[in-house]
Amino acid sequence: MEWLVSLFGAALVVITLRDLFHTLWHPTRRGGLSRVVMTALWRLSRPLRTRSGHVAGLAGPLAVVSVVGLWAGTIILGWAIVYWPHMPDSFAFANELRASEHTGLLDSLYLSMVHVSTLGLGDIAPTEEWLRIAAPLEALVGFVLLTATVSWVLEIYPALARRKALALRLAVLLRTDRRERPSGEVLTASLLEGLAADVLRVRIDFTQYAEAYYFHDGEDETSLAVVSGYACELARRGAAASDADVRRAADVLSEALDDLATVLDQRFLHTGGSAAEVFGAYAADHGHRRTTGPAAGG
């Protein structure tokens, strides 16, 4: 029975490490536990996204903190369950501690937290050989969790910056377009190709850093959810241009937007609709109204 309890604790640790691996390092970047937590918090924050941008902006950071807390808590609990059946017989206690008074799960949790935080206080130490290996292994897992969390945060914010940069570029183009659209052709192949490259970078970011979706962009000018419709309009206008290079660049932009819409729909929105419908759902999900062109409202 003791070993069954320990195996259950080990299973919790393995499940958590698997989720951490799939969230941070697997090519699909789709962890089960982390995705459930982030999706749940995003849905709970939905009423706030149309009322208070400042409060809605906390959804993404809180989701990351919650996922890390879940990982840490489950790892600590799992290792505590591993130790628990073997307390106190398989451990040596400092002179001021009575072994008979430290047999509960709370003591195992304390020991697990000491190990995972790499404190190494030494007041309780394993004596059985396998536990003497397991305890340092937990410390190693704790170190991995810490470094993984730091690297995760450092990866997310550059992806957010790229998304906001694309949104701001489109917003500036839209303002210019509204202010004065000169007669004749206003689009160039280099402009459309540059936008297509930026869209593809954001598409990759949504694939590699799916958690970035749950970060609210805030103001309209830096929200891709708002100005994505204008990018679609630029692609349509380019497709009707007289210049062959512009038409080709517009096709590239249109394909890039379709790819982005596919990723958004498959991973987050599940509308099954066209690219325009997906971008509309994307804007609505972030509490915005999509901008579609010079005549549309901001």
Side-chain angles (χ1 to χ4, degrees), residues 165-184:
L166 172 59
L168 189 57
R169 183 180 183 186
L170 287 168
V172 170
L173 286 172
L174 178 58
R175 287 205 307 268
T176 304
D177 212 1
R178 284 174 173 169
R179 188 167 55 245
E180 180 182 0
R181 184 189 292 187
S183 59

Side-chain angles (χ1 to χ4, degrees), residues 2-297:
E2 292 180 352
W3 285 103
L4 288 177
V5 175
S6 294
L7 286 174
F8 174 72
L12 284 179
V13 174
V14 170
I15 290 171
T16 305
L17 292 178
R18 179 187 181 278
D19 187 71
L20 189 151
F21 172 78
H22 277 268
T23 301
L24 301 184
W25 298 306
H26 193 273
T28 61
R29 303 288 291 244
R30 300 180 74 175
L33 294 174
S34 57
R35 188 177 183 187
V36 168
V37 171
M38 288 189 167
T39 302
L41 287 175
W42 181 251
R43 289 175 178 173
L44 288 173
S45 69
R46 183 169 293 165
L48 301 175
R49 293 198 287 275
T50 56
R51 298 177 187 175
S52 173
H54 295 292
V55 177
L58 296 175
L62 283 177
V64 171
V65 171
S66 298
V67 169
V68 173
L70 176 66
W71 287 338
T74 309
I75 287 174
I76 290 171
L77 178 62
W79 282 102
I81 293 174
V82 170
Y83 301 142
W84 185 27
H86 309 281
M87 296 281 284
D89 297 337
S90 299
F91 292 86
F93 294 81
N95 293 333
E96 61 272 17
L97 298 178
R98 293 184 179 180
S100 59
E101 296 177 354
H102 299 279
T103 61
L105 181 59
L106 184 61
D107 298 289
S108 298
L109 283 170
Y110 161 75
L111 180 62
S112 181
M113 285 188 285
V114 168
H115 287 163
V116 82
S117 60
T118 67
L119 289 177
L121 298 180
D123 52 346
I124 304 176
T127 55
E128 284 196 20
E129 291 184 359
W130 73 273
L131 285 172
R132 293 174 66 185
I133 296 175
L137 185 61
E138 183 183 7
L140 180 61
V141 169
F143 180 75
V144 169
L145 178 61
L146 174 62
T147 55
T149 300
V150 173
S151 64
W152 193 24
V153 172
L154 293 178
E155 287 175 345
I156 291 174
Y157 282 94
L160 295 175
R162 287 188 289 270
R163 189 171 80 196
K164 289 185 177 183
L166 172 59
L168 189 57
R169 183 180 183 186
L170 287 168
V172 170
L173 286 172
L174 178 58
R175 287 205 307 268
T176 304
D177 212 1
R178 284 174 173 169
R179 188 167 55 245
E180 180 182 0
R181 184 189 292 187
S183 59
E185 189 60 70
V186 298
L187 298 176
T188 64
S190 60
L191 171 65
L192 297 178
E193 288 172 350
L195 288 174
D198 290 343
V199 169
L200 289 174
R201 290 189 192 98
V202 171
R203 182 254 191 228
I204 293 172
D205 286 339
F206 275 125
T207 302
Q208 294 297 310
Y209 313 108
E211 56 277 359
Y213 177 87
Y214 304 107
F215 281 71
H216 192 267
D217 287 326
E219 59 185 85
D220 288 356
E221 283 202 339
T222 57
S223 175
L224 184 61
V226 173
V227 295
S228 56
Y230 179 58
C232 294
E233 184 192 331
L234 289 177
R236 287 193 297 269
R237 282 164 50 185
S242 58
D243 189 285
D245 289 338
V246 173
R247 291 198 303 272
R248 182 181 62 81
D251 289 340
V252 173
L253 176 58
S254 181
E255 287 295 325
L257 289 167
D258 286 344
D259 282 351
L260 175 59
T262 298
V263 170
L264 288 172
D265 200 40
Q266 289 179 348
R267 297 179 73 103
F268 310 107
L269 299 169
H270 312 294
T271 66
S274 64
E277 292 170 334
V278 171
F279 288 130
Y282 177 36
D285 198 35
H286 279 253
H288 293 293
R289 183 165 58 89
R290 190 169 61 120
T291 297
T292 56

